[in-house]
Amino acid sequence: MSGRLAQQGYRFGAFELRPAQRSLLLDGVPAALGSRAFDVLMVLFDRRNAPVSKAELLAAVWPSMVVEDNTLQVHVSALRKLLGPLAIATIPGRGYRFTAVLAADDARPEALPSGPAVPHNLHPPRTRFIGREALLAQCSQLLQRTRLLTLTGIGGCGKTRLALQLAWQQRAAFPEGVWFVDLAPLREGQRIAPAVAAALGLREETHSPLIDHLCAHLAQRQALIVLDNCEHLIDAAAALADALVERCAALTIVATSREALGVIGEQVVAVRTLSLPATADLAAMRESEAVRLFIDRAGLAQPDFSVDEHNAPAVVEVCRRLDGIALAIELAASRVGMLPVAEINVLLADRFRFLTGGSRAVPRQQTLQATLQWSHDTLPAAEQQLFRRLAVFVGGCTLRAAARVAEAGDEYTVLALLQRLHDKSLLEVQQDGAGQARYRMLETVRQYALEELDQAGESAATRDRHLASIVALAEDALAQGSGPQQGAWMSRLAQAQEDILVAHDWCGQSATGAHAAVQLVACLWRYWVASGQLDRGQALAGQALARAPAGLDPLWHCRAQIAIGQMAFRSGRYAESLAWAEPSLALARAIGDAELIAISLGLRAKGLHSTGRLVEARAHYEQACAAARALASPFWLGAALNNLAELHRSMGQFDAAEACYEEAIAITRQLQSPEGLFVPLCNLARLSVMAGKLARARSLLLESLQLATDAELRGMGEDVLEVAAGLASARQVHAAAARFYGAAMARMQLSGSQREPVDQAFIAPLMAAAEAALGPAAFADAQAQGWALQPAAAIAEVKQWLELSA
């Protein structure tokens, strides 16, 4: 090993290498690394400025031994698995190279090749470079094959810090100079060339244009220029960069901007916000760039700051609420010396007043608000208008919704404006469950845009249009969401859920809100049930009906009453459901709407059935079936037949029940309605268990489970779990029966739903048999284990059990 390595440690990412102690630490804890793998790492680290051939590695680590190449590959793979895939690069035909980025204060002069000092105007970084290690390595590699690299991203995301770290790290590769030029103070594009000349120490020539003087000076120089903050002078910056790259063959430029320069040959790298932790688990937090940055900067304010099980959730929440924006996290972390993290999290409710501070040398980075204002003020008026109006969308929007709410022209005009906002890093683009593009802002950006909306005096009118767009979405879901596209609609509504809730809230302040709230209730009740959010749906319905106007449209009034009745039934309040069915049936008959009559008859029949009035229930079920047949309404006919089958099942009339289930299944299968098909399939599985047809029950349950998964019918998971529990008991697999039953009970409590009497009659004796076989203690223990399962884990376990129990 070389004697050049100092005795102190060297840091890169979450690791610290201590050569003298032959140890590698991960977050201060010794990492599991074999002796030979450590030797490989030391050789690569010691010679990190050039590739190390396989032969050289083998000779250094295994002297006087014959070792196969794959032995070396195994150790390199182990190192990559531990350090990350970008820590060690394979140089084709030349060997391996250590490429992890050292912390700023460890990138010491001895890490640079010997030779003349590189001229530059860079200041050594004052803080550790946290996160972005992989992106930094990628940019370093890109500089080997591109001469114009532009880092784009939202204000405060860390573009300048990345560019400075890249320039500092790469200065040895540009022996004739590395120069940083901050364009932020400039207000005119014609001042860019003089600023570059000043950084290079050139005087302006009076006899020739300055651009010619610059190009003559740089023509053959292997130099790097960093043009920072180009966005407000984008055209002039692009023109200068284009001219320099065109006329100076050895020159490389790194630019930072909210948007790309648009120059031929430009390599654009998007600088995303810092990665966020999936959970508050301490191990998961170590993988998060945002948390690592918070911890490091908090340590500057409070040297003994550390993360433990007490403050970890608050740290995670702060980083999430700030969207992983580096500047925002640094500003929040700087308050740790004054406030515990939990209080910082609370004060983020007004983040723009709270997040002030930062470097006095950079006024636009003293506050988070100033950074965003810098972006906003460079937008043309049309883009500013769209930007602030889109802020009413909490979860993003489609092109159609954006055009409706923004009133900025037709969809083609709005699309062009959306493209410009996206190019300037103010919008993100995603796809919804139906494959449509959705445009959304980071929450911090959205909060700033909302303030602009209020200041423009456009908030109320824009929120009214937002409400109208959500009502239109809900009406489309009601009309189209019961057929083969149900899964896509469930996904679309899930993505729009926060906006649905915001629209409900606004109903209380809008002149048209009372009627709109009733429409939302009428259209979306099936979404709340199918998504397992029955309690939320009922709460919204109660608020809507409480403020319903006296002259409410009877059609929507009737639909809302049916919706509330259906949700009341699902939650086990059968008398209340029946009470809502009565006026809805009267209204349906008054307005002469045959479909609503059929639906109301079915709702009333379910209420009668569940309150023990079986004769009346049968008459209403049969009337509902007849009405649906006359209407040629297959979805509601399938529902009516399923409900009639439920009555037969509760009366022990298994053959009649099976016939009705089979007809309902055939109708809804042809209709390709996932929810409509799921219900009779699952009920027929119950009947099959009761009749001892266990193989058929398994097959039906597997199909039901697949339907619920594909269509995102999360609220139906409890039915799958319950039927699986009954099937397991019937098969004498009693521990699994108790476990699945516990999982079903947990799901029901979470959603607020209750088991219907006919289903209680199905499951009760089967669970009694399981408890008797296991004994009360073992049954309770297995049930508790099932209760503790996460919903997705419980469903996955049931699926595996069904597939393996053929």
Side-chain angles (χ1 to χ4, degrees):
M1 298 295 162
S2 168
R4 291 192 300 110
L5 286 175
Q7 298 301 305
Q8 72 278 354
Y10 292 82
R11 290 169 295 158
F12 49 96
F15 294 92
E16 182 179 356
L17 178 64
R18 294 181 176 176
Q21 291 81 30
R22 284 186 58 81
S23 67
L24 178 69
L25 307 182
L26 171 58
D27 289 326
V29 178
L33 190 63
S35 175
R36 294 293 189 186
F38 186 88
D39 289 342
V40 172
L41 174 60
M42 288 298 299
V43 174
L44 291 171
F45 184 83
D46 188 24
R47 300 174 58 182
R48 56 191 176 278
N49 297 301
V52 183
S53 70
K54 294 180 181 178
E56 290 172 315
L57 277 167
L58 291 172
V61 178
W62 292 274
S64 305
M65 295 178 62
V66 178
V67 179
E68 296 182 1
D69 282 356
N70 67 339
T71 302
L72 175 60
Q73 293 169 3
V74 166
H75 288 83
V76 171
S77 296
L79 287 169
R80 284 174 173 159
K81 184 175 181 181
L82 175 63
L83 304 176
L86 297 178
I88 299 174
T90 299
I91 311 299
R94 301 180 65 188
Y96 300 102
R97 182 179 177 184
F98 181 86
T99 53
V101 180
L102 295 183
D105 52 355
D106 290 331
R108 297 179 176 85
E110 67 266 20
L112 299 173
S114 60
V118 176
H120 65 83
N121 67 345
L122 305 176
H123 297 289
R126 299 182 184 184
T127 57
R128 292 181 62 194
F129 185 75
I130 304 293
R132 313 254 197 246
E133 290 89 354
L135 185 59
L136 182 60
Q138 180 190 19
C139 290
S140 299
Q141 294 173 1
L142 287 173
L143 284 184
Q144 299 174 22
R145 61 176 186 265
T146 186
R147 295 179 50 230
L148 175 56
L149 175 67
T150 301
L151 307 177
T152 65
I154 188 176
C157 72
K159 300 183 297 298
T160 298
R161 185 69 173 87
L162 176 61
L164 282 169
Q165 189 73 23
L166 179 64
W168 182 261
Q169 174 192 295
Q170 292 294 313
R171 62 192 191 280
F174 298 95
E176 294 176 282
V178 178
W179 312 104
F180 179 83
V181 186
D182 185 6
L183 306 187
L186 307 183
R187 290 295 173 264
E188 297 176 348
Q190 64 189 19
R191 299 304 305 161
I192 297 179
V196 174
L200 294 171
L202 297 180
R203 294 181 179 179
E204 295 191 37
E205 297 285 343
T206 57
H207 62 275
S208 64
L210 182 55
I211 183 64
D212 293 339
H213 187 38
L214 279 172
C215 290
H217 177 78
L218 294 167
Q220 302 302 322
R221 295 179 187 270
Q222 191 174 348
L224 172 68
I225 293 177
V226 178
L227 296 177
D228 192 40
N229 298 301
C230 298
E231 55 274 347
H232 64 304
L233 302 171
I234 190 75
D235 293 335
L240 179 70
D242 189 36
L244 290 175
V245 170
E246 177 70 23
R247 297 168 62 181
C248 306
L251 178 68
T252 298
I253 294 176
V254 172
T256 75
S257 177
R258 310 289 163 90
E259 59 180 312
L261 301 185
V263 173
I264 294 174
E266 174 186 29
Q267 173 68 61
V268 180
V269 172
V271 181
R272 309 294 184 190
T273 53
L274 297 171
S275 64
L276 298 170
T279 68
D281 177 74
L282 292 178
M285 292 175 69
R286 290 195 186 103
E287 304 298 321
S288 163
E289 296 173 330
V291 171
R292 287 167 52 203
L293 179 66
F294 185 94
I295 294 171
D296 184 82
R297 301 305 191 256
L300 298 178
Q302 182 179 317
D304 61 348
F305 177 81
S306 64
V307 175
D308 54 33
E309 64 274 12
H310 300 295
N311 64 7
V315 171
V316 169
E317 184 64 16
V318 166
C319 293
R320 285 178 180 166
R321 292 181 68 185
L322 295 177
D323 303 302
I325 298 174
L327 173 62
I329 290 171
E330 291 193 349
L331 292 172
S334 71
R335 297 301 188 94
V336 164
M338 295 292 294
L339 296 165
V341 184
E343 288 191 42
I344 291 174
N345 187 35
V346 171
L347 290 171
L348 286 179
D350 191 349
R351 64 192 68 190
F352 297 116
R353 290 184 63 192
F354 178 64
L355 296 181
T356 60
S359 170
R360 290 185 176 87
V362 189
R364 67 185 174 82
Q365 291 188 354
Q366 287 182 22
T367 71
L368 180 61
Q369 188 168 27
T371 299
L372 292 172
Q373 185 175 342
W374 171 265
S375 294
H376 174 267
D377 290 351
T378 63
L379 300 176
E383 293 175 32
Q384 286 185 353
Q385 182 190 73
L386 179 63
F387 173 68
R388 64 179 178 260
R389 291 180 178 179
L390 290 182
V392 296
F393 287 102
V394 183
C397 62
T398 62
L399 173 59
R400 180 183 177 189
R404 180 192 290 267
V405 170
E407 284 193 331
D410 60 22
E411 290 188 7
Y412 294 97
T413 302
V414 171
L415 179 60
L417 292 172
L418 288 169
Q419 178 71 57
R420 292 173 202 162
L421 292 177
H422 173 262
D423 290 345
K424 294 170 183 176
S425 307
L426 291 171
L427 283 181
E428 295 182 340
V429 183
Q430 302 171 333
Q431 279 196 343
D432 67 11
Q436 284 188 308
R438 291 185 67 83
Y439 307 92
R440 65 177 295 272
M441 297 177 183
L442 295 176
E443 181 59 21
T444 299
V445 177
R446 193 181 77 85
Q447 291 294 332
Y448 174 82
L450 279 175
E451 291 190 1
E452 290 295 317
L453 186 68
D454 289 339
Q455 291 177 14
E458 299 173 351
S459 183
T462 306
R463 290 184 183 280
D464 278 344
R465 293 193 297 273
H466 175 264
L467 173 58
S469 76
I470 296 300
V471 170
L473 174 71
E475 288 181 313
D476 288 344
L478 178 66
Q480 306 170 29
S482 61
Q485 295 301 311
Q486 184 173 25
W489 273 103
M490 286 294 295
S491 178
R492 184 179 295 176
L493 291 173
Q495 287 183 303
Q497 180 169 308
E498 290 303 314
D499 283 284
I500 292 169
L501 297 176
V502 166
H504 267 288
D505 286 343
W506 181 249
C507 285
Q509 303 176 58
S510 172
T512 60
H515 186 266
V518 171
Q519 288 177 283
L520 290 174
V521 168
C523 295
L524 296 176
W525 71 268
R526 285 169 54 202
Y527 167 72
W528 298 121
V529 171
S531 64
Q533 301 179 83
L534 183 57
D535 284 346
R536 170 169 278 165
Q538 290 185 106
L540 293 172
Q543 295 167 14
L545 266 291
R547 57 176 175 242
L552 186 63
D553 180 341
L555 179 66
W556 285 108
H557 196 182
C558 180
R559 288 174 174 169
Q561 289 176 331
I562 290 171
I564 297 174
Q566 296 281 14
M567 288 189 285
F569 180 84
R570 182 76 179 182
S571 63
R573 302 199 304 274
Y574 305 120
E576 182 182 333
S577 175
L578 187 56
W580 282 109
E582 301 286 0
S584 72
L585 182 57
L587 259 179
R589 284 172 171 161
I591 61 180
D593 190 303
E595 184 175 65
L596 291 180
I597 291 172
I599 299 170
S600 296
L601 281 168
L603 178 60
R604 188 167 192 273
K606 289 200 300 183
L608 292 168
H609 179 190
S610 297
T611 53
R613 297 158 66 179
L614 302 187
V615 175
E616 293 175 85
R618 179 165 185 166
H620 278 73
Y621 278 142
E622 290 173 346
Q623 289 177 48
C625 288
R629 289 186 196 279
L631 273 172
S633 177
F635 180 85
W636 291 110
L637 176 57
L641 285 166
N642 172 77
N643 293 335
L644 180 57
E646 292 284 83
L647 178 65
H648 287 309
R649 176 159 68 93
S650 67
M651 298 174 68
Q653 300 166 351
F654 287 4
D655 290 342
E658 184 174 2
C660 288
Y661 286 138
E662 293 283 12
E663 186 179 358
I665 289 169
I667 289 170
T668 51
R669 197 183 294 282
Q670 186 175 6
L671 185 62
Q672 295 183 307
S673 169
E675 182 186 1
L677 178 57
F678 173 90
V679 174
L681 274 175
C682 209
N683 284 332
L684 183 55
R686 285 186 174 96
L687 180 68
S688 299
V689 171
M690 295 172 72
K693 301 175 182 178
L694 304 188
R696 188 184 191 198
R698 170 188 170 276
S699 176
L700 290 165
L701 194 53
L702 270 172
E703 185 179 359
S704 301
L705 188 154
Q706 195 62 51
L707 274 171
T709 301
D710 291 346
E712 298 189 32
L713 304 176
R714 291 184 292 274
M716 306 303 174
E718 60 202 48
D719 291 281
V720 171
L721 291 165
E722 181 176 285
V723 180
L727 177 60
S729 176
R731 286 186 159 184
Q732 310 296 309
V733 189
H734 296 301
R739 188 176 174 88
F740 297 156
Y741 184 64
M745 294 290 287
R747 289 283 289 265
M748 292 177 73
Q749 184 186 65
L750 186 65
S751 68
S753 62
Q754 293 292 325
R755 189 177 294 109
E756 297 175 38
V758 63
D759 294 333
Q760 179 64 25
F762 159 75
I763 197 64
L766 291 164
M767 290 305 99
E771 184 174 9
L774 291 172
F779 181 86
D781 183 58
Q783 183 178 337
Q785 292 175 22
W787 189 290
L789 288 172
Q790 292 295 316
I795 291 295
E797 188 173 312
V798 163
K799 183 178 181 181
Q800 183 180 36
W801 179 76
L802 288 170
E803 290 172 342
L804 295 176
S805 60

